[in-house]
């Protein structure tokens, strides 16, 4: 009986592992550095996790870096079902929460119950953005695409006609996780305003 339970548990874990391979097929609006192709969700998550480890000294508070890295790795798995929602797509942002909640239940239910509860709790912690770990993980989520956009001379911002106000609206959340890294993003945004890659509006505060 014990052997049968182990076999069932392992089967569920392997089913989940194979399911999340699909994250490699969810492409984002952001392009790889060097004007490469669009990056996919798995690449974004991997990049964030390594960034979190390397930049952990700049977190506003001491963080459990393993927890932060796991948040980075799992936060977009729901997009296998829900699809990628571009950060500045105001229409699709309205339904993002509902789509991702349904996807969370479907995908994480593939796991054994204890691991389902563990990872859904971690996903919810990231979404709630209240703990030091969640705030720092969000800082990575904001900084990573900004660095790629900067490396590509603001090409994605120009293509989508993104305003400086929109980028600041997202990057101000970076400050909750890291004042130091917010200063970096602030400098990048100002540079692209001057270059004309980000349009200013009366509401833009620098």
């Amino acid at each position: 009986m014990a052997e049968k339970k182990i076999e069932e548990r392992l089967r569920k874990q392997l089913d989940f592992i194979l399911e999340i391979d699909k994250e490699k097929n969810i492409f984002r609006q952001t392009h790889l550095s060097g004007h490469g192709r669009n990056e996919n969700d798995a690449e974004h998550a991997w990049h964030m996790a390594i960034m979190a480890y390397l930049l952990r000294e700049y977190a506003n508070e001491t963080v459990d870096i393993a927890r932060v890295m796991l948040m980075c790795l799992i936060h977009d798995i729901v997009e296998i079902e829900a699809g990628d929602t571009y950060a500045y797509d105001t229409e699709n942002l309205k339904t993002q929460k509902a789509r991702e909640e349904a996807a969370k239940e479907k995908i994480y239910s593939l796991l054994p119950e204890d691991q389902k509860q563990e990872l859904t709790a971690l996903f919810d912690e990231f979404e709630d953005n209240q703990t030091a770990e969640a705030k720092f993980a969000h800082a990575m989520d904001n900084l990573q695409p900004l660095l790629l956009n900067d490396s590509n001379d603001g090409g994605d911002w120009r293509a989508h006609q993104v305003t400086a106000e929109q980028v600041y609206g997202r990057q101000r959340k970076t400050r909750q996780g890291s004042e130091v890294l917010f200063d970096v993003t602030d400098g990048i945004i100002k540079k692209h305003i001057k270059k004309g890659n980000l349009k200013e509006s009366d509401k833009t505060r620098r």
Side-chain angles (χ1 to χ4, degrees):
M1 189 64 162
E3 183 178 345
K4 186 175 181 180
K5 285 185 178 179
I6 291 172
E7 289 176 355
E8 176 66 11
R9 180 177 177 84
L10 180 56
R11 183 190 64 75
K12 288 183 176 182
Q13 290 165 329
L14 293 177
D15 285 347
F16 178 81
I17 287 167
L18 191 58
E19 179 68 15
I20 65 172
D21 181 66
K22 296 175 183 176
E23 192 177 5
K24 299 171 188 174
N25 287 318
I26 307 300
F27 286 90
R28 296 163 47 82
Q29 295 297 321
T30 310
H31 286 74
L32 302 178
S33 59
H35 301 279
R37 61 164 170 77
N38 293 71
E39 71 169 348
N40 65 50
D41 271 359
E43 292 164 335
H44 168 63
W46 160 83
H47 211 179
M48 281 175 59
I50 293 181
M51 286 171 56
Y53 183 79
L54 295 175
L55 303 176
R56 65 192 185 279
E57 64 197 87
Y58 306 114
N60 289 341
E61 304 173 64
T62 301
V63 295
D64 178 343
I65 197 59
R67 192 171 184 83
V68 174
M69 292 174 72
L70 189 52
M71 280 185 194
C72 292
L73 290 170
I74 71 162
H75 79 291
D76 275 345
I77 286 175
V78 292
E79 293 188 357
I80 292 169
E81 289 287 331
D84 175 60
T85 302
Y86 185 47
Y88 308 112
D89 183 346
T90 54
E91 194 59 36
N92 278 322
L93 284 171
K94 295 175 184 177
T95 62
Q96 181 182 16
K97 181 70 173 175
R99 286 185 284 112
E100 291 189 351
E101 281 296 308
K104 177 184 72 173
E105 179 61 26
K106 181 175 180 180
I107 295 170
Y108 287 114
S109 288
L110 294 172
L111 284 165
E113 186 61 26
D114 63 314
Q115 290 186 322
K116 173 192 173 183
Q117 295 299 327
E118 177 188 4
L119 293 191
T120 54
L122 200 62
F123 175 85
D124 289 341
E125 181 181 339
F126 175 82
E127 288 294 301
D128 291 341
N129 198 31
Q130 296 299 311
T131 64
E133 286 76 17
K135 290 174 183 177
F136 193 59
H138 270 280
M140 299 302 100
D141 197 20
N142 296 335
L143 178 61
Q144 190 267 350
L146 181 126
L147 292 176
L148 292 184
N149 259 313
D150 180 44
S151 77
N152 289 320
D153 197 32
D156 292 323
W157 289 324
R158 290 197 309 273
H160 293 279
Q161 299 183 318
V162 176
T163 67
E165 181 190 359
Q166 287 176 302
V167 180
Y168 269 119
R170 184 173 176 83
Q171 293 300 329
R172 284 191 189 102
K173 297 175 185 175
T174 299
R175 176 173 267 163
Q176 298 175 20
S178 173
E179 289 280 354
V180 172
L181 297 178
F182 174 76
D183 288 343
V184 173
T185 67
D186 186 42
I188 290 172
I189 293 168
K190 287 177 177 176
K191 178 178 73 174
H192 286 279
I193 290 172
K194 288 181 180 178
K195 296 179 79 170
N197 295 326
L198 287 169
K199 294 182 179 181
E200 287 190 271
S201 73
D202 292 338
K203 296 180 181 178
T204 303
R205 296 187 183 91
R206 300 185 297 282

